[in-house]
Amino acid sequence: MKGWNIIVKILALDSSGLVASVAVAEDDVLTAEYTVNYKKTHSQTLLPMLQAVKDMIELDLSTVDAIAVAAGPGSFTGLRIGSATAKGLALAMDCPIVEVKTVEGLAYNLYGTDKVVCPLMDARRNQVYTGLYEVSDGIRVLKDQCAVDVADIIAAVNELGREVIFLGDGVPVYKEQLENGVKVPYFFAPAHMNRQRAGSVAALGEIYFKEGKTVPAAAHQPIYLRLSQAERERMEQEAAKDGQ
């Protein structure tokens, strides 16, 4: 495990949601970040973005210490693309992977706030990928990332009884429910902080790398938290057959 005084270079990827993002951080400095939130698929954007970053900062991939990736939860397709890209790079570069939980990376956008941070990623079917965090100095998990009904996380926020900041693509989807249900003072994060950023994944990745929290490339798997729609439909069909 490297010591805290060692310079570390992290290449970070996040394709867990609607946003595609690539970043490079070295010695607590964000050298580059390329983030796009548009209609194109991550299979179309992620590798060209990585190449653009590499060219712009003349990045020698052999100097990268680890690949940090938003490991999930999130879009099943997006997670697979991000994980496959991270694994391929790490295998070719012979370096480890740092798995950053997607919701923790999203919360880390708001580093320094004294308020509770509640990321909300739309998981469909009135559910969100979420959690509760303190990020005033580092990151402290109050409620680990989970897939729950919106009403459940609203209840957890109310029970905590503290000021809270919401962020993520679930905010506009469930904004009315939040406004009607949240009983504590609350805020919505501004545009430059309210979606996934590979810069935050890189910053957390650097911390985790120095703490020895890495996995070999071949061992990395995305964190889905729940079954895909296809898997759910298959199980429902099998249950219906069994009930006949």
Side-chain angles (χ1 to χ4, degrees):
M1 182 175 69
K2 294 193 175 186
W4 284 96
N5 59 335
I6 301 297
I7 295 175
V8 175
K9 185 181 290 184
I10 301 292
L11 171 62
L13 309 172
D14 193 333
S15 58
S16 59
L18 300 174
V19 173
S21 189
V22 177
V24 177
E26 181 176 5
D27 195 26
D28 293 325
V29 175
L30 188 63
T31 309
E33 185 177 34
Y34 189 164
T35 299
V36 174
N37 183 8
Y38 197 60
K39 302 172 184 178
K40 294 183 180 180
T41 65
H42 296 324
S43 60
Q44 294 175 295
T45 57
L46 198 61
L47 285 176
M49 289 167 61
L50 174 60
Q51 186 64 47
V53 166
K54 179 177 176 295
D55 293 344
M56 182 62 69
I57 64 172
E58 301 176 350
L59 175 65
D60 180 356
L61 291 176
S62 67
T63 65
V64 171
D65 293 289
I67 309 292
V69 63
S75 157
F76 288 84
T77 301
L79 290 177
R80 291 187 185 108
I81 291 169
S83 289
T85 303
K87 289 180 77 163
L89 286 169
L91 286 168
M93 295 157 54
D94 192 25
C95 71
I97 287 178
V98 181
E99 298 174 331
V100 176
K101 294 179 179 180
T102 302
V103 181
E104 289 187 8
L106 192 51
Y108 208 62
N109 286 1
L110 298 175
Y111 177 87
T113 182
D114 60 352
K115 299 171 178 57
V116 173
V117 177
C118 181
L120 298 172
M121 296 176 63
D122 183 19
R124 309 290 177 85
R125 295 190 173 192
N126 210 50
Q127 286 198 327
V128 288
Y129 299 123
T130 186
L132 295 173
Y133 302 91
E134 289 180 343
V135 292
S136 58
D137 182 16
I139 185 164
R140 178 171 173 249
V141 179
L142 303 178
K143 180 179 179 63
D144 200 7
Q145 66 177 21
C146 53
V148 298
D149 190 273
V150 178
D152 293 336
I153 193 63
I154 289 175
V157 165
N158 289 336
E159 184 178 351
L160 204 57
R162 295 172 54 187
E163 289 183 310
V164 62
I165 302 179
F166 294 103
L167 73 162
D169 60 39
V171 170
V173 179
Y174 302 107
K175 190 172 184 179
E176 185 175 349
Q177 288 174 253
L178 295 171
E179 291 173 338
N180 291 334
V182 177
K183 306 303 181 186
V184 298
Y186 64 88
F187 309 86
F188 298 122
H192 65 298
M193 295 179 176
N194 66 14
R195 295 294 188 272
Q196 285 89 340
R197 290 184 57 183
S200 293
V201 175
L204 272 179
E206 185 174 345
I207 294 170
Y208 295 161
F209 179 82
K210 290 177 178 179
E211 293 174 348
K213 297 177 181 178
T214 66
V215 298
H220 168 64
Q221 294 292 333
I223 304 167
Y224 293 119
L225 284 189
R226 68 176 195 177
L227 298 175
S228 68
Q229 182 177 346
E231 290 170 320
R232 290 196 304 269
E233 289 175 352
R234 187 183 69 247
M235 292 180 65
E236 290 169 0
Q237 291 170 357
E238 292 173 352
K241 288 179 182 178
D242 293 340
Q244 290 177 351

